[in-house]
mmCIF file of all heavy atoms in Angstrom:
data_model
loop_
_atom_site.group_PDB
_atom_site.id
_atom_site.type_symbol
_atom_site.label_atom_id
_atom_site.label_comp_id
_atom_site.label_asym_id
_atom_site.label_seq_id
_atom_site.Cartn_x
_atom_site.Cartn_y
_atom_site.Cartn_z
ATOM 1 N N VAL D 555 68.294 93.967 73.409
ATOM 2 C CA VAL D 555 67.719 95.168 72.698
ATOM 3 C C VAL D 555 67.980 95.020 71.184
ATOM 4 O O VAL D 555 67.091 95.249 70.388
ATOM 5 C CB VAL D 555 68.307 96.507 73.273
ATOM 6 C CG1 VAL D 555 67.828 97.654 72.388
ATOM 7 C CG2 VAL D 555 67.855 96.685 74.695
ATOM 8 N N TYR D 556 69.223 94.662 70.876
ATOM 9 C CA TYR D 556 69.599 94.488 69.452
ATOM 10 C C TYR D 556 68.714 93.456 68.804
ATOM 11 O O TYR D 556 68.200 93.647 67.653
ATOM 12 C CB TYR D 556 71.062 94.124 69.369
ATOM 13 C CG TYR D 556 71.517 93.739 67.999
ATOM 14 C CD1 TYR D 556 71.875 94.708 67.062
ATOM 15 C CD2 TYR D 556 71.651 92.385 67.631
ATOM 16 C CE1 TYR D 556 72.315 94.309 65.786
ATOM 17 C CE2 TYR D 556 72.051 92.062 66.396
ATOM 18 C CZ TYR D 556 72.399 93.011 65.463
ATOM 19 O OH TYR D 556 72.784 92.656 64.189
ATOM 20 N N ASN D 557 68.525 92.278 69.455
ATOM 21 C CA ASN D 557 67.769 91.177 68.857
ATOM 22 C C ASN D 557 66.273 91.629 68.648
ATOM 23 O O ASN D 557 65.623 91.215 67.729
ATOM 24 C CB ASN D 557 67.830 89.961 69.702
ATOM 25 C CG ASN D 557 69.237 89.259 69.614
ATOM 26 O OD1 ASN D 557 69.831 89.348 68.553
ATOM 27 N ND2 ASN D 557 69.689 88.693 70.697
ATOM 28 N N GLU D 558 65.772 92.398 69.591
ATOM 29 C CA GLU D 558 64.424 92.896 69.520
ATOM 30 C C GLU D 558 64.238 93.818 68.325
ATOM 31 O O GLU D 558 63.269 93.721 67.554
ATOM 32 C CB GLU D 558 64.003 93.584 70.807
ATOM 33 C CG GLU D 558 62.566 94.069 70.878
ATOM 34 C CD GLU D 558 61.596 92.898 70.833
ATOM 35 O OE1 GLU D 558 61.941 91.750 71.198
ATOM 36 O OE2 GLU D 558 60.432 93.162 70.388
ATOM 37 N N ARG D 559 65.219 94.655 68.126
ATOM 38 C CA ARG D 559 65.178 95.596 67.065
ATOM 39 C C ARG D 559 65.347 94.900 65.686
ATOM 40 O O ARG D 559 64.697 95.200 64.686
ATOM 41 C CB ARG D 559 66.233 96.709 67.182
ATOM 42 C CG ARG D 559 65.860 97.692 68.336
ATOM 43 C CD ARG D 559 66.962 98.727 68.489
ATOM 44 N NE ARG D 559 66.642 99.686 69.582
ATOM 45 C CZ ARG D 559 67.519 100.598 69.978
ATOM 46 N NH1 ARG D 559 68.723 100.720 69.431
ATOM 47 N NH2 ARG D 559 67.110 101.423 70.972
ATOM 48 N N VAL D 560 66.333 93.998 65.669
ATOM 49 C CA VAL D 560 66.712 93.389 64.396
ATOM 50 C C VAL D 560 65.534 92.436 63.963
ATOM 51 O O VAL D 560 65.441 92.098 62.754
ATOM 52 C CB VAL D 560 68.004 92.629 64.531
ATOM 53 C CG1 VAL D 560 67.830 91.255 65.165
ATOM 54 C CG2 VAL D 560 68.665 92.444 63.203
ATOM 55 N N ARG D 561 64.693 92.035 64.910
ATOM 56 C CA ARG D 561 63.589 91.153 64.603
ATOM 57 C C ARG D 561 62.560 91.812 63.650
ATOM 58 O O ARG D 561 61.885 91.181 62.879
ATOM 59 C CB ARG D 561 62.900 90.736 65.864
ATOM 60 C CG ARG D 561 61.825 89.629 65.726
ATOM 61 C CD ARG D 561 61.364 89.190 67.081
ATOM 62 N NE ARG D 561 60.796 90.290 67.816
ATOM 63 C CZ ARG D 561 59.445 90.721 67.643
ATOM 64 N NH1 ARG D 561 58.673 90.086 66.749
ATOM 65 N NH2 ARG D 561 58.986 91.739 68.375
ATOM 66 N N LEU D 562 62.565 93.169 63.726
ATOM 67 C CA LEU D 562 61.632 93.955 62.873
ATOM 68 C C LEU D 562 62.144 94.136 61.484
ATOM 69 O O LEU D 562 61.389 94.582 60.590
ATOM 70 C CB LEU D 562 61.412 95.306 63.504
ATOM 71 C CG LEU D 562 60.912 95.326 64.982
ATOM 72 C CD1 LEU D 562 60.825 96.734 65.486
ATOM 73 C CD2 LEU D 562 59.486 94.708 64.999
ATOM 74 N N ILE D 563 63.328 93.724 61.233
ATOM 75 C CA ILE D 563 63.920 93.876 59.866
ATOM 76 C C ILE D 563 63.950 92.503 59.198
ATOM 77 O O ILE D 563 64.236 91.500 59.862
ATOM 78 C CB ILE D 563 65.389 94.375 59.954
ATOM 79 C CG1 ILE D 563 65.446 95.704 60.747
ATOM 80 C CG2 ILE D 563 66.017 94.481 58.599
ATOM 81 C CD1 ILE D 563 66.814 96.193 61.029
ATOM 82 N N PRO D 564 63.481 92.466 57.930
ATOM 83 C CA PRO D 564 63.470 91.174 57.222
ATOM 84 C C PRO D 564 64.835 90.448 57.299
ATOM 85 O O PRO D 564 65.893 91.147 57.168
ATOM 86 C CB PRO D 564 63.135 91.544 55.802
ATOM 87 C CG PRO D 564 62.315 92.851 55.912
ATOM 88 C CD PRO D 564 62.942 93.551 57.095
ATOM 89 N N GLU D 565 64.799 89.242 57.469
ATOM 90 C CA GLU D 565 66.041 88.485 57.702
ATOM 91 C C GLU D 565 67.004 88.573 56.573
ATOM 92 O O GLU D 565 68.227 88.637 56.709
ATOM 93 C CB GLU D 565 65.719 86.993 57.945
ATOM 94 C CG GLU D 565 66.913 86.130 58.341
ATOM 95 C CD GLU D 565 66.539 84.736 58.712
ATOM 96 O OE1 GLU D 565 65.283 84.449 58.782
ATOM 97 O OE2 GLU D 565 67.443 83.933 58.900
ATOM 98 N N GLU D 566 66.447 88.718 55.266
ATOM 99 C CA GLU D 566 67.307 88.661 54.119
ATOM 100 C C GLU D 566 68.079 89.974 53.910
ATOM 101 O O GLU D 566 69.001 90.062 53.116
ATOM 102 C CB GLU D 566 66.470 88.384 52.821
ATOM 103 C CG GLU D 566 65.396 89.424 52.501
ATOM 104 C CD GLU D 566 64.053 89.116 53.221
ATOM 105 O OE1 GLU D 566 64.056 88.221 54.117
ATOM 106 O OE2 GLU D 566 63.046 89.635 52.851
ATOM 107 N N VAL D 567 67.673 91.069 54.658
ATOM 108 C CA VAL D 567 68.392 92.342 54.478
ATOM 109 C C VAL D 567 68.899 92.821 55.872
ATOM 110 O O VAL D 567 69.219 94.014 56.020
ATOM 111 C CB VAL D 567 67.455 93.408 53.896
ATOM 112 C CG1 VAL D 567 67.100 93.115 52.488
ATOM 113 C CG2 VAL D 567 66.200 93.607 54.724
ATOM 114 N N ARG D 568 69.179 91.928 56.788
ATOM 115 C CA ARG D 568 69.660 92.364 58.087
ATOM 116 C C ARG D 568 71.168 92.658 57.979
ATOM 117 O O ARG D 568 71.684 93.422 58.775
ATOM 118 C CB ARG D 568 69.466 91.251 59.099
ATOM 119 C CG ARG D 568 67.970 91.139 59.497
ATOM 120 C CD ARG D 568 67.760 89.960 60.452
ATOM 121 N NE ARG D 568 66.307 89.860 60.751
ATOM 122 C CZ ARG D 568 65.787 88.904 61.571
ATOM 123 N NH1 ARG D 568 66.634 87.943 62.050
ATOM 124 N NH2 ARG D 568 64.503 88.811 61.767
ATOM 125 N N SER D 569 71.786 92.075 56.943
ATOM 126 C CA SER D 569 73.209 92.394 56.723
ATOM 127 C C SER D 569 73.377 93.638 55.941
ATOM 128 O O SER D 569 72.767 93.785 54.843
ATOM 129 C CB SER D 569 73.859 91.210 55.990
ATOM 130 O OG SER D 569 75.162 91.551 55.596
ATOM 131 N N LEU D 570 74.185 94.600 56.406
ATOM 132 C CA LEU D 570 74.347 95.852 55.655
ATOM 133 C C LEU D 570 74.937 95.626 54.267
ATOM 134 O O LEU D 570 74.517 96.246 53.298
ATOM 135 C CB LEU D 570 75.288 96.750 56.515
ATOM 136 C CG LEU D 570 75.487 98.147 55.892
ATOM 137 C CD1 LEU D 570 74.222 98.901 55.735
ATOM 138 C CD2 LEU D 570 76.500 98.946 56.788
ATOM 139 N N SER D 571 75.909 94.725 54.157
ATOM 140 C CA SER D 571 76.478 94.483 52.863
ATOM 141 C C SER D 571 75.493 93.836 51.884
ATOM 142 O O SER D 571 75.375 94.190 50.722
ATOM 143 C CB SER D 571 77.718 93.536 53.012
ATOM 144 O OG SER D 571 77.315 92.284 53.628
ATOM 145 N N THR D 572 74.646 92.933 52.389
ATOM 146 C CA THR D 572 73.595 92.363 51.601
ATOM 147 C C THR D 572 72.597 93.374 51.160
ATOM 148 O O THR D 572 72.141 93.394 50.012
ATOM 149 C CB THR D 572 72.906 91.204 52.367
ATOM 150 O OG1 THR D 572 73.897 90.261 52.795
ATOM 151 C CG2 THR D 572 71.835 90.508 51.516
ATOM 152 N N LEU D 573 72.215 94.262 52.063
ATOM 153 C CA LEU D 573 71.225 95.280 51.773
ATOM 154 C C LEU D 573 71.751 96.208 50.720
ATOM 155 O O LEU D 573 71.049 96.556 49.727
ATOM 156 C CB LEU D 573 70.914 96.068 53.068
ATOM 157 C CG LEU D 573 69.892 97.227 52.922
ATOM 158 C CD1 LEU D 573 68.568 96.721 52.374
ATOM 159 C CD2 LEU D 573 69.699 97.947 54.208
ATOM 160 N N ASN D 574 72.996 96.697 50.831
ATOM 161 C CA ASN D 574 73.564 97.537 49.810
ATOM 162 C C ASN D 574 73.655 96.849 48.454
ATOM 163 O O ASN D 574 73.445 97.450 47.456
ATOM 164 C CB ASN D 574 74.980 97.973 50.232
ATOM 165 C CG ASN D 574 74.979 99.060 51.310
ATOM 166 O OD1 ASN D 574 74.069 99.898 51.305
ATOM 167 N ND2 ASN D 574 75.886 99.029 52.287
ATOM 168 N N HIS D 575 73.995 95.581 48.488
ATOM 169 C CA HIS D 575 74.048 94.821 47.207
ATOM 170 C C HIS D 575 72.693 94.757 46.563
ATOM 171 O O HIS D 575 72.583 94.924 45.345
ATOM 172 C CB HIS D 575 74.609 93.447 47.501
ATOM 173 C CG HIS D 575 74.732 92.566 46.304
ATOM 174 N ND1 HIS D 575 75.700 92.838 45.290
ATOM 175 C CD2 HIS D 575 74.035 91.482 45.858
ATOM 176 C CE1 HIS D 575 75.542 91.913 44.358
ATOM 177 N NE2 HIS D 575 74.542 91.092 44.691
ATOM 178 N N ARG D 576 71.660 94.504 47.350
ATOM 179 C CA ARG D 576 70.230 94.410 46.810
ATOM 180 C C ARG D 576 69.804 95.760 46.213
ATOM 181 O O ARG D 576 69.169 95.838 45.177
ATOM 182 C CB ARG D 576 69.322 93.999 47.915
ATOM 183 C CG ARG D 576 69.435 92.493 48.376
ATOM 184 C CD ARG D 576 68.881 91.605 47.283
ATOM 185 N NE ARG D 576 67.487 91.862 46.983
ATOM 186 C CZ ARG D 576 66.461 91.425 47.720
ATOM 187 N NH1 ARG D 576 66.702 90.659 48.768
ATOM 188 N NH2 ARG D 576 65.198 91.704 47.340
ATOM 189 N N ILE D 577 70.151 96.863 46.918
ATOM 190 C CA ILE D 577 69.835 98.212 46.434
ATOM 191 C C ILE D 577 70.447 98.445 45.081
ATOM 192 O O ILE D 577 69.866 99.011 44.164
ATOM 193 C CB ILE D 577 70.203 99.234 47.463
ATOM 194 C CG1 ILE D 577 69.298 99.192 48.718
ATOM 195 C CG2 ILE D 577 70.122 100.662 46.908
ATOM 196 C CD1 ILE D 577 69.709 100.037 49.898
ATOM 197 N N GLN D 578 71.750 98.123 44.980
ATOM 198 C CA GLN D 578 72.449 98.303 43.725
ATOM 199 C C GLN D 578 71.837 97.508 42.605
ATOM 200 O O GLN D 578 71.704 97.932 41.452
ATOM 201 C CB GLN D 578 73.943 97.961 43.904
ATOM 202 C CG GLN D 578 74.721 98.897 44.825
ATOM 203 C CD GLN D 578 74.667 100.356 44.316
ATOM 204 O OE1 GLN D 578 74.773 100.630 43.093
ATOM 205 N NE2 GLN D 578 74.498 101.271 45.193
ATOM 206 N N GLN D 579 71.441 96.266 42.963
ATOM 207 C CA GLN D 579 70.808 95.424 41.914
ATOM 208 C C GLN D 579 69.496 96.017 41.444
ATOM 209 O O GLN D 579 69.200 96.008 40.235
ATOM 210 C CB GLN D 579 70.563 94.026 42.507
ATOM 211 C CG GLN D 579 71.795 93.170 42.603
ATOM 212 C CD GLN D 579 71.507 91.779 43.166
ATOM 213 O OE1 GLN D 579 70.611 91.620 44.019
ATOM 214 N NE2 GLN D 579 72.223 90.716 42.671
ATOM 215 N N LEU D 580 68.635 96.516 42.340
ATOM 216 C CA LEU D 580 67.409 97.145 41.995
ATOM 217 C C LEU D 580 67.582 98.403 41.162
ATOM 218 O O LEU D 580 66.815 98.690 40.227
ATOM 219 C CB LEU D 580 66.560 97.395 43.218
ATOM 220 C CG LEU D 580 66.038 96.165 43.943
ATOM 221 C CD1 LEU D 580 65.362 96.571 45.262
ATOM 222 C CD2 LEU D 580 65.069 95.363 43.080
ATOM 223 N N LYS D 581 68.581 99.156 41.473
ATOM 224 C CA LYS D 581 68.872 100.356 40.722
ATOM 225 C C LYS D 581 69.197 100.006 39.277
ATOM 226 O O LYS D 581 68.889 100.717 38.333
ATOM 227 C CB LYS D 581 70.011 101.146 41.325
ATOM 228 C CG LYS D 581 69.587 101.932 42.599
ATOM 229 C CD LYS D 581 70.773 102.687 43.187
ATOM 230 C CE LYS D 581 70.371 103.516 44.407
ATOM 231 N NZ LYS D 581 71.447 104.304 44.961
#
Side-chain angles (χ1 to χ4, degrees):
V555 173
Y556 171 82
N557 288 328
E558 183 63 25
R559 289 177 179 175
V560 83
R561 189 174 61 82
L562 303 175
I563 302 171
E565 187 175 352
E566 62 272 13
V567 292
R568 289 177 183 176
S569 169
L570 182 60
S571 60
T572 303
L573 179 59
N574 283 325
H575 181 68
R576 289 288 302 277
I577 289 172
Q578 292 301 320
Q579 283 182 326
L580 290 175
K581 285 182 178 179

